[in-house]
Amino acid sequence: MAGYNFSARGEGGGGSASLRKPREAATGLASQAQAFEKLAKEYGFSFYLVASFPQGDKSDFLSNHILSNWPEDLRRRYAAADVFRCSYVVTRLKETILPVFSNCCVFSKGEANQNANGLTEVFSQAGLRDTLSFSVHDTRLRHHIIAFSGIKATLSEQEKMELFFRALGLLENHVRQEAVLDGPRERLTGREIECLRWSAAGKSSEEIAIILEISAHTVASYLKAAMRKLDSVNRMQAIARACRYRLL
């Protein structure tokens, strides 16, 4: 897996995929990294980046980095510069939902300040001169940036459209893999989910029993099983994790 930079981050509360299933996570991410690199090369680019859109107190490059084949030294230097949140690519993608192609150093600050922070030459020497970038939301409503970089004069509108939709397909595969790795270890039954859903609505075991026409003891058993499968210590934690896994 040399040459690939990736991370497998959980969302808190349940442990990350890298902690729960390290072998599967590493294998899946390596495969996704190879797929993105292959796609980049098909359209004349040498590099790709998949990152979360910086926001709030999570604005630095490393905490938003998901996948890339950037040289390790470049990635570290860029993280140290701490300009990702105010970079041209982030600023531009806040203004449009269309793919953006630019032959400037989009990962530096605004075009007028590129040379000031010394990154233009660094990226150019590494071969990341021209970049096609776009922002998308995944099925969990998380905002992402996908960028392909290299030395490429331009792309036709047809090429931009094709690359955009093919990259979306790879991102969807990544999200599905992530969901498998970050999901509950055992599948919840329909009744267990029903009981959690009514519990989330504020219903007691007795009230849920009346609604589902079963005994309160049976409701408690379903909720206990759901808590075990979701590795939770109480109902509230089980509900939170079920929402995180999009079961409710």
Side-chain angles (χ1 to χ4, degrees), residues 81-240:
D82 194 26
V83 297
F84 182 54
R85 65 186 181 280
C86 56
S87 63
Y88 175 78
V89 66
V90 170
T91 301
R92 187 70 183 90
L93 290 177
K94 286 180 179 179
E95 303 170 344
T96 181
I97 60 174
L98 297 175
V100 174
F101 182 81
S102 178
N103 57 8
C104 72
C105 180
V106 299
F107 302 105
S108 180
K109 290 185 178 179
E111 292 181 274
N113 299 314
Q114 285 182 34
N115 293 323
N117 56 39
L119 289 174
T120 301
E121 187 64 24
V122 173
F123 275 89
S124 181
Q125 289 180 351
L128 287 85
R129 188 189 69 186
D130 308 311
T131 299
L132 176 70
S133 57
F134 44 85
S135 66
V136 296
H137 287 82
D138 65 22
T139 53
R140 295 186 179 184
L141 302 182
R142 295 172 301 184
H143 198 179
H144 296 284
I145 290 175
I146 301 179
F148 296 94
S149 303
I151 300 176
K152 183 159 180 82
T154 187
L155 288 92
S156 68
E157 292 303 310
Q158 180 68 24
E159 287 178 315
K160 290 179 184 178
M161 182 179 68
E162 290 176 356
L163 183 52
F164 176 78
F165 281 105
R166 291 183 65 182
L168 283 183
L170 294 183
L171 179 62
E172 182 173 348
N173 290 338
H174 173 75
V175 172
R176 287 178 178 174
Q177 177 71 12
E178 183 183 61
V180 171
L181 293 171
D182 197 35
R185 300 182 184 184
E186 296 181 54
R187 183 182 297 274
L188 275 69
T189 67
R191 279 299 198 189
E192 290 165 355
I193 293 175
E194 276 187 299
C195 289
L196 278 177
R197 184 176 291 116
W198 284 113
S199 186
K203 302 297 183 181
S204 66
S205 294
E206 289 72 19
E207 291 173 318
I208 297 174
I210 294 173
I211 294 170
L212 299 181
E213 298 182 343
I214 56 179
S215 70
H217 175 75
T218 302
V219 170
S221 296
Y222 282 135
L223 289 171
K224 184 177 180 180
M227 287 187 286
R228 177 184 59 78
K229 292 178 180 180
L230 293 167
D231 195 22
S232 305
V233 297
N234 54 47
R235 293 187 186 186
M236 291 304 297
Q237 188 178 43
I239 291 169

Side-chain angles (χ1 to χ4, degrees), residues 17-33:
S18 59
L19 290 176
R20 292 182 59 186
K21 301 178 181 179
R23 183 175 300 174
E24 294 92 328
T27 300
L29 285 169
S31 176
Q32 292 153 23

